[in-house]
Amino acid sequence: MTLKRLTCSVHALLQRRCQITNINNTGLQQTPCTGSVRKPGALIARSYYGAARSTDQGDNGSVLVRTVDLRSDTVTKPGPAMRRAMAEAEVGDNVYGEDPTVNELQRQAAQLFGMEDALFVPSGTMSNLIAVMSHCRERGEEVILGEKSHLHIYEQGGTAQCAGVHSCTVRNNADGTFNLEEVESKIRHGYPDSHYPRTRLIGVENTHNIQGGRVLPLAFLKELRGLADRYGLVVHMDGARLMNAAVALSVRPSDILQHCDSVTVCLSKGLGAPVGSLLAGRREFVQRAVRARKVLGGGMRQAGILAAAGILALTDMVDRLKDDHRNAKTFARALLQPEFPLGCVDLSAVETNILRFRMQQPGLTPQEFCTRMEEVTPGEVESLGQGVRVLMFPHVEGSVRAVWHLDVSEKDTQVAILKLNYITQKYREERQSA
């Protein structure tokens, strides 16, 4: 959470310009305004990946504005220890395999994941694409994916666009799993019949983003492994938030990955590194992945500066993920206010750091809820003694998504609940007077 002091002069107000003074433990600095006190009825312009900005400004004066950013765990910033490790990292030419810090990160990751080898890559999207390219070595082969998987929806169809690999989807269950009988029915048996693609790969996602951070049960993964073995298929896990799953299950990452041939693990989400993902699997697979990484432009040279952050992420940032899980559930409970709940959520489904919920009150849309949580009105400042901006997104199927991470503390969560209680009261008053 950031604490900001918003100061707008009359002249700036007329020109719709203002300045923010950021107050933190590093001192004071002036930055352009990204938040504002809104007049009731002012409009908010929003894009999915961008912070919303008000199209109007509030009254003249000095107002405390606190921001709790729950848009994604990708907004985390490296702290002093991580920045220091990056600055002091020993580096070499990683494309030549000579960067000692990258090599150490890859060694540690392979050991942690129970895999033979690992590869440091710029992003999770690239890592998943490399995995598909390395498992499916001929154009026209096929991967079976959940219909709501990140790889299928949010990665621009890269498997087809870049790799020439066809995707076949199965229906995702609410917990992120899918029916294995449906998977079996989608496996192609006609090879080498020239009419059909050849099934090579099954992809799973753990934790499951769209389904609200759900953790795949170990029993499901074991059954999937058995199915894949019967048909000679390989299993890749998009484990962008694998460490959240391991913490939630109180198991080692290798206990989860024993059922998979390869995995992608993101370092720049809840683990707090600024850049990078890891792709792990058998040694021969990783050797092929090195070639695919190169052709996709992911062969970084003195990448030890980034890998140093990754090492710290794996060694120091995993245990604290349980704090994010606890804070997410705390906010979920606050949504279920007995007298006038705004949101509807199944508490048993809040397993990790992602909270997905629907609106309970008729007429209150996800977009309006997010706008009310973000906007700061003079009435709020008068009532709470400060302004609170809580950033979250309207999500799929009429829901709202909020994600907890290392930059949102327990205290920040309570501030967000304070804002939730305020807008609940105001919405209830509006409904009663209508």
Side-chain angles (χ1 to χ4, degrees), residues 5 9 24 60 85 87 98 110 127 169 171 174 176 223 250 279 287 310 317 320 327 341 353 355 363 366 373 403 408:
R5 186 171 296 276
S9 68
N24 52 39
N60 184 29
E98 297 174 357
S127 182
T169 61
R171 186 179 65 85
E223 289 185 46
S250 298
L279 177 62
Q287 289 171 352
M317 306 302 288
R320 59 150 308 280
N327 290 334
N353 65 320
L355 171 61
M373 288 294 287
V403 186
V408 179

Side-chain angles (χ1 to χ4, degrees), residues 138-385:
E138 296 181 12
R139 296 180 69 84
E141 293 188 332
E142 185 172 71
V143 54
I144 298 176
L145 298 167
E147 63 181 353
K148 295 180 180 178
S149 66
H150 193 282
L151 205 161
H152 180 60
I153 293 178
Y154 292 123
E155 299 183 12
Q156 207 183 105
T159 55
Q161 185 180 166
C162 301
V165 174
H166 184 258
S167 294
C168 177
T169 61
V170 293
R171 186 179 65 85
N172 274 116
N173 297 323
D175 62 356
T177 64
F178 34 68
N179 187 295
L180 295 183
E181 291 182 357
E182 184 182 3
V183 173
E184 189 170 19
S185 73
K186 296 295 181 74
I187 297 173
R188 314 277 184 173
H189 302 289
Y191 185 84
D193 190 313
S194 61
H195 293 88
Y196 308 108
R198 182 183 186 182
T199 307
R200 276 287 194 185
L201 174 64
I202 302 173
V204 293
E205 183 177 339
N206 195 17
T207 65
H208 201 285
N209 177 14
I210 283 184
Q211 299 296 57
R214 300 301 297 272
V215 179
L216 299 186
L218 295 179
F220 166 77
L221 293 172
K222 183 178 181 180
E223 289 185 46
L224 178 64
R225 175 78 269 167
L227 174 65
D229 288 345
R230 286 201 301 275
Y231 292 98
L233 306 179
V234 291
V235 176
H236 171 70
M237 178 176 287
D238 176 1
R241 297 179 176 90
L242 172 72
M243 307 312 291
N244 292 88
V247 168
L249 293 175
S250 298
V251 301
R252 298 169 298 180
S254 57
D255 293 332
I256 298 173
L257 296 175
Q258 64 180 309
H259 306 298
C260 301
D261 296 281
S262 62
V263 64
T264 287
V265 178
C266 188
L267 299 170
S268 62
K269 291 186 170 68
L271 298 181
V275 177
S277 287
L278 290 157
L279 177 62
R282 294 185 177 89
R283 187 159 288 108
E284 180 187 1
F285 165 81
V286 172
Q287 289 171 352
R288 293 196 300 270
V290 170
R291 290 183 55 82
R293 182 186 68 177
K294 180 65 175 176
V295 78
L296 293 175
M300 301 177 288
R301 297 291 179 174
Q302 286 70 36
I305 294 172
L306 301 176
I311 291 174
L312 201 66
L314 291 181
T315 56
D316 290 10
M317 306 302 288
V318 175
D319 289 343
R320 59 150 308 280
L321 293 175
K322 63 180 181 293
D323 299 335
D324 300 336
H325 301 177
R326 182 181 63 252
N327 290 334
K329 182 152 281 191
T330 297
F331 188 87
R333 291 192 185 98
L335 281 168
L336 303 177
Q337 301 179 43
E339 294 183 1
F340 195 78
L342 289 189
C344 176
V345 61
D346 178 3
L347 287 177
S348 66
V350 185
E351 297 176 331
T352 57
N353 65 320
I354 300 177
L355 171 61
R356 182 179 169 215
F357 57 95
R358 290 178 170 81
M359 294 296 96
Q360 180 80 355
Q361 297 300 322
L364 182 61
T365 66
Q367 178 65 64
E368 182 181 355
F369 174 83
C370 292
T371 298
R372 286 173 179 256
M373 288 294 287
E374 180 178 357
E375 69 182 3
V376 177
T377 65
E380 173 189 335
V381 174
E382 183 178 355
S383 175
L384 304 182

